[in-house]
Amino acid sequence: MKIMIVDDSSAMRMIVKKTLRLAGFEGHDVVEAEDGAKALAAIKAAAPDLVLSDWNMPNMTGLELLESLGKEGIKLKFGFVTTEATPDMRERATSAGARFLISKPFTPESFKEILGPHIG
Amino acid sequence: MLSDVARRSPAPADMPPLPQFAHIKRAWDDAQQSVVARLLPGEYYVTRHPELLYTVLGSCVSACVRDTRLGIGGMNHFMLPLDGSGGASSWASVDLSAATRYGNVAMEYLINDLMKLGCQRANLEFKVVGGGKVLNMEMDVGGRNAAFVREYLRTEGFPIAAADLGDRFARKLFYDPRSGKVRVKRLNPTANLAVFERERQVSLPAPQAAGSVELF
């Protein structure tokens, strides 16, 4: 399975990657992008099966990325991993088609619980 | 002769904080001739106004950060949870500790709020203070916090413009986000225990208590 991690923080991308491993999701093809715009270009070139995206990022936010994918008709599993999760954000994420929202700081256990059904 | 308006000291009411920082204690300080925002352990603050940011650090660390072009900046005051996990030393290893994940979030809140005000990553200037070994105990809590913040900034590719970390002192810190000037007063070690106790009591909650997942 191909998993894309989108976050402008390289430390956070590293942590998400390691947490995936600690949650038992090993042997997957994990790719990274440092903002929404770069992720969109990479997804158009070769779509992953699952996107784990931060919300606040320069150039293009996580929500704008999800909305752009919708406009382009690109269907994939998409969830947010973010520090901020206001009711308004949850509402916008849901209506844009996000499958889940994981608040930071997360644990390997929460990754296991929420990503299990999405990662084979 | 100065007009009444010019003579009046600027009050915090004239410089409303960003909505998310309404709880931060701010007041005019005669000695500093400035409005001063006082941060407690676990708090962070970002401002566009001409004001000083102040805190007292024991084993905690503060990252002082500003956009050098916009003069907008902020500061946090955090410690890694005292959960006995590996902390900064395990950053690069597979054994990723809860403490490291938690410290990362403390930094991310501060940086995200600056980005939302139009700050650019490339223009951010970081100064780091604190992490004193304020207690005579085997575990160097302050050293762990100091190592974390250094390692975090290295991983993120942010150079450290100035640092006053470690040693055996608690510190009083004033930060001016407009100029980037940091003033540190090292406190007499007799204050160490009191400062540490306050930090321990009101610091960030344990990581297992924070964070949540939500299925849509």
Side-chain angles (χ1 to χ4, degrees):
Chain A
M1 188 168 188
K2 186 173 171 183
I3 303 168
M4 177 180 279
I5 301 167
V6 190
D7 201 307
D8 56 323
S9 158
S10 52
M12 189 51 77
R13 291 199 302 273
M14 194 190 288
I15 287 177
V16 171
K17 210 168 164 179
K18 284 184 180 172
T19 308
L20 279 171
R21 223 179 299 149
L22 290 176
F25 304 120
E26 291 185 81
H28 296 286
D29 178 15
V30 178
V31 293
E32 299 177 29
E34 62 188 57
D35 63 41
K38 286 185 178 150
L40 182 60
I43 292 169
K44 280 183 184 172
D49 303 293
L50 171 67
V51 176
L52 302 175
S53 177
D54 187 20
W55 189 288
N56 297 300
M57 291 180 289
N59 302 323
M60 181 186 276
T61 67
L63 182 65
E64 287 164 353
L65 168 62
L66 178 57
E67 288 169 344
S68 301
L69 292 172
K71 277 181 206 151
E72 300 270 349
I74 301 171
K75 287 190 181 4
L76 39 73
K77 293 175 187 168
F78 193 106
F80 289 102
V81 181
T82 179
T83 46
E84 244 186 308
T86 61
D88 174 56
M89 286 170 73
R90 291 170 198 278
E91 174 63 40
R92 288 160 70 194
T94 321
S95 43
R99 304 281 184 97
F100 54 83
L101 191 147
I102 301 175
S103 302
K104 300 172 190 170
F106 43 76
T107 61
E109 292 70 35
S110 62
F111 261 47
K112 199 181 262 179
E113 176 195 335
I114 205 152
L115 299 177
H118 299 292
I119 304 178
Chain B
M1 189 177 143
L2 290 170
S3 72
D4 280 353
V5 173
R7 267 205 307 270
R8 194 163 56 93
S9 305
D14 300 330
M15 314 192 302
L18 294 165
Q20 66 269 41
F21 301 119
H23 63 288
I24 299 288
K25 204 173 150 194
R26 297 158 76 231
W28 171 259
D29 185 320
D30 271 337
Q32 303 299 328
Q33 284 296 296
S34 171
V35 168
V36 175
R38 292 168 184 270
L39 271 67
L40 297 172
E43 291 183 335
Y44 79 107
Y45 184 70
V46 167
T47 184
R48 284 191 274 213
H49 299 303
E51 60 184 322
L52 295 177
L53 316 187
Y54 169 81
T55 200
V56 180
L57 295 158
S59 60
C60 286
V61 287
S62 277
C64 307
V65 55
R66 70 185 189 116
D67 183 305
T68 52
R69 297 211 178 147
L70 299 179
I72 298 173
M75 183 168 100
N76 59 15
H77 176 153
F78 72 98
M79 72 191 293
L80 305 181
L82 296 170
D83 63 354
S85 60
S89 61
S90 65
W91 179 279
S93 75
V94 179
D95 174 28
L96 183 69
S97 78
T100 303
R101 290 196 302 270
Y102 210 85
N104 198 285
V105 171
M107 292 299 295
E108 192 165 321
Y109 271 115
L110 176 62
I111 295 169
N112 273 354
D113 277 14
L114 288 167
M115 309 287 274
K116 284 184 209 161
L117 294 176
C119 298
Q120 301 288 319
R121 282 180 83 90
N123 300 336
L124 295 185
E125 174 192 78
F126 284 84
K127 297 185 179 180
V128 288
V129 180
K133 189 177 190 318
V134 294
L135 292 187
N136 280 321
M137 55 191 273
E138 200 178 326
M139 185 184 175
D140 183 3
V141 179
R144 186 166 162 261
N145 293 330
F148 166 80
V149 78
R150 280 191 187 280
E151 184 60 20
Y152 175 87
L153 293 174
R154 193 190 64 75
T155 308
E156 290 292 290
F158 291 123
I160 295 175
D164 182 28
L165 293 168
D167 216 323
R168 294 188 160 272
F169 300 96
R171 296 160 166 92
K172 279 187 178 176
L173 159 68
F174 281 100
Y175 178 54
D176 182 345
R178 282 166 306 156
S179 66
K181 190 175 169 189
V182 166
R183 272 182 297 144
V184 176
K185 185 185 177 198
R186 294 181 169 196
L187 300 180
N188 189 304
T190 52
N192 283 1
L193 183 60
V195 173
F196 181 83
E197 273 304 312
R198 200 169 58 152
E199 286 182 339
R200 195 175 63 83
Q201 281 168 22
V202 290
S203 197
L204 299 165
Q208 58 271 27
S212 65
V213 294
E214 187 163 331
L215 289 161
F216 296 140

